[in-house]
Amino acid sequence: MIQLSKILKSVPIFHTLGKESIDFIIQRLKFKTFGPNETVCKIGDPGDEMYIIINGEVKICVYDEQGNETVVATLKAGEYFGEMALLTGEPRSASVITTKDSEMFALHKNDFDVILERFPSISISIGKIMSQRLRETLAKASHLPNVNKLETGQQGPRGSLKDVPLVDLIRFCEANSLTGTVKLDKNGEQGQLEFKAGQLQKVSLGNLTEDQALDTMISWTDGNFEIELKPIKLDGLVEDKTETKEQLKIRHILILINSLVVQKIIERALNGLGYKVFKARNISDGLDLMEKEDIHLIISDIKLPDGEAGALIEQIRKQNENPIIFLGEPNIKEEVLTPIKKSSGVKITNSHEVSEIVQLIEHFNQNG
Ligand code: CMP
């Protein structure tokens, strides 16, 4: 068990999790071994497992109509695959084939769902990587005709409708569960198709009805297209942190914690999620900071050098109604707990785990 938790902790998406969380995940993993050249996932098949590579290597392959293989990526120890089918419910977007002897952990969809719900920080990181993968696969996909004529720019792939007709673009967006907009331009006439998780949501071209717009654009044999990808939302979370944090109420967080080490761990995790962090080690410095800076939430020790939770809540409430998260600790006296339980906008964690803190921040973001 100790060995397994070490391996799992070295996987980037699990970095921020504490021992208890890692143990929770380990109980749900199945250990599997593969020889070289074994197909772990087959493109088009339904998928109910994702895999974390412990050691070895896999290639991610897509195929054109003639069956020619394009390797869109190679993944090694610490990386994972197979998450897309679990998140989207769509068939496997690529084949995954081992290139060496490989050892992996497999995680079933049911357990994957439980883990994402319990540790939302993982879904943020998975969502971000999934969006990058889609971009890469889209750029390299060989089943689009004349794909070498596609250019991948800042906005996503673009090219000519002569090379890639709209019907193929639609098929491609559906097959890859794309969220984004296909923009078409024929001699200045501009239309667009919006997709959400591979489903066509809206078609527009001038004043035409959606049916007319689609019929017209499908018949275009020349003109240009551009695919603009949007970040994918996962259960209310957006994986692109720059956009997310602009939209969220809570963006600036004060960490009011006496231990510099705990301060640092939480600061690093929150910075990684795109929050701006301010730090203080006692109530008086914290209150000073709150007067000067635009702070939206406070994460605090229950006991600080110049006072306990009750005193802190009282002082803060004289200034603002910002949510406060206290870091729980064992054997807290009832008189210390009472003001925490009674005050509105105040929560306490069961542990010092970053995932639990993030969950509470998200709670305040959603519920105010
Ligand atoms: P899934 O669609 O379930 O099965 C195939 C997997 O290949 C997919 O999930 C991803 O995990 C992985 N994959 C697809 N495209 C890429 C890419 N461009 N880079 C890395 N992995 C990818």
Side-chain angles (χ1 to χ4, degrees):
M1 198 68 138
I2 293 166
Q3 199 52 18
L4 287 187
S5 62
K6 257 195 189 161
I7 296 168
L8 211 58
K9 192 104 175 96
S10 70
V11 176
I13 49 167
F14 300 131
H15 261 341
T16 54
L17 302 186
K19 188 185 167 309
E20 267 177 42
S21 313
I22 293 280
D23 287 347
F24 178 87
I25 294 173
I26 284 173
Q27 285 160 21
R28 286 158 175 80
L29 298 174
K30 261 185 292 168
F31 180 76
K32 289 194 174 179
T33 56
F34 298 89
N37 214 19
E38 275 194 58
T39 301
V40 187
C41 301
K42 187 155 172 272
I43 188 165
D45 278 0
D48 58 4
E49 275 185 328
M50 74 165 275
Y51 299 83
I52 298 158
I53 307 173
I54 304 169
N55 57 55
E57 190 183 85
V58 298
K59 58 180 180 176
I60 310 290
C61 308
V62 292
Y63 303 87
D64 67 11
E65 278 145 17
Q66 284 75 47
N68 300 315
E69 178 181 289
T70 299
V71 176
V72 293
T74 305
L75 304 180
K76 297 193 169 73
E79 294 182 287
Y80 62 84
F81 60 88
E83 79 292 2
M84 290 188 192
L86 303 198
L87 284 165
T88 62
E90 294 288 322
R92 296 290 190 198
S93 61
S95 285
V96 185
I97 302 167
T98 50
T99 53
K100 297 178 179 167
D101 279 321
S102 302
E103 292 178 321
M104 303 186 200
F105 286 133
L107 180 64
H108 192 269
K109 182 176 178 358
N110 298 344
D111 295 316
F112 177 76
D113 290 342
V114 172
I115 288 172
L116 286 200
E117 206 177 306
R118 193 159 164 162
F119 309 110
S121 57
I122 297 180
S123 55
I124 296 176
S125 130
I126 289 189
K128 202 169 156 193
I129 292 174
M130 184 163 131
S131 164
Q132 284 163 6
R133 287 179 170 180
L134 276 175
R135 265 172 224 270
E136 282 166 22
T137 309
L138 185 59
K140 291 186 191 165
S142 54
H143 62 278
L144 278 174
N146 299 316
V147 76
N148 52 351
K149 297 202 177 132
L150 290 173
E151 293 169 40
T152 310
Q154 277 269 308
Q155 299 296 305
R158 47 198 146 92
S160 164
L161 288 172
K162 268 190 206 141
D163 302 322
V164 189
L166 181 56
V167 206
D168 287 336
L169 287 173
I170 296 174
R171 232 178 261 142
F172 183 75
C173 293
E174 287 171 349
N176 288 284
S177 305
L178 272 179
T179 297
T181 308
V182 178
K183 294 183 169 174
L184 304 184
D185 183 330
K186 188 184 166 226
N187 305 325
E189 222 184 328
Q190 292 176 339
Q192 61 183 47
L193 290 87
E194 287 169 33
F195 284 87
K196 195 171 168 196
Q199 303 286 319
L200 187 55
Q201 303 287 312
K202 201 174 152 199
V203 185
S204 50
L205 176 68
N207 294 327
L208 298 183
T209 64
E210 292 202 289
D211 282 349
Q212 289 167 338
L214 192 58
D215 280 347
T216 310
M217 290 190 284
I218 281 181
S219 69
W220 286 358
T221 47
D222 61 4
N224 297 318
F225 73 84
E226 180 176 334
I227 302 177
E228 204 174 273
L229 293 170
K230 286 215 185 79
I232 298 145
K233 285 192 172 206
L234 300 171
D235 297 337
L237 298 170
V238 184
E239 86 286 359
D240 183 319
K241 67 188 176 200
T242 46
E243 270 200 22
T244 315
K245 298 298 173 264
E246 292 311 313
Q247 290 155 9
L248 295 179
K249 285 172 277 193
I250 297 165
R251 299 185 309 277
H252 302 171
I253 296 179
L254 169 65
I255 303 180
L256 199 45
I257 293 174
N258 190 240
S259 154
L260 289 175
V261 178
V262 179
Q263 254 192 14
K264 199 82 220 146
I265 292 170
I266 297 177
E267 180 188 15
R268 204 180 300 150
L270 294 180
N271 281 338
L273 293 171
Y275 293 100
K276 182 167 181 191
V277 169
F278 300 87
K279 290 172 294 178
R281 298 180 69 190
N282 57 52
I283 298 183
S284 132
D285 289 351
L287 292 172
D288 281 353
L289 260 175
M290 261 180 277
E291 279 197 346
K292 284 190 221 131
E293 305 288 349
D294 180 23
I295 283 167
H296 309 137
L297 178 141
I298 300 110
I299 297 171
S300 177
D301 279 336
I302 290 181
K303 288 182 200 149
L304 285 154
D306 51 352
E308 293 184 347
L312 177 67
I313 296 171
E314 206 183 307
Q315 300 275 3
I316 291 181
R317 288 293 172 257
K318 284 184 196 160
Q319 286 189 10
N320 58 58
E321 291 298 318
N322 284 340
I324 309 171
I325 297 171
F326 283 104
L327 302 184
E329 42 188 75
N331 309 321
I332 313 167
K333 287 193 204 126
E334 201 46 45
E335 67 256 33
V336 177
L337 269 180
T338 309
I340 298 179
K341 288 184 189 158
K342 275 191 174 165
S343 310
S344 73
V346 179
K347 294 251 172 226
I348 181 164
T349 63
N350 295 318
S351 67
H352 276 45
E353 281 189 20
V354 173
S355 57
E356 203 186 328
I357 299 170
V358 171
Q359 238 168 356
L360 288 177
I361 298 173
E362 277 155 11
H363 162 88
F364 282 122
N365 252 327
Q366 278 155 23
N367 304 305

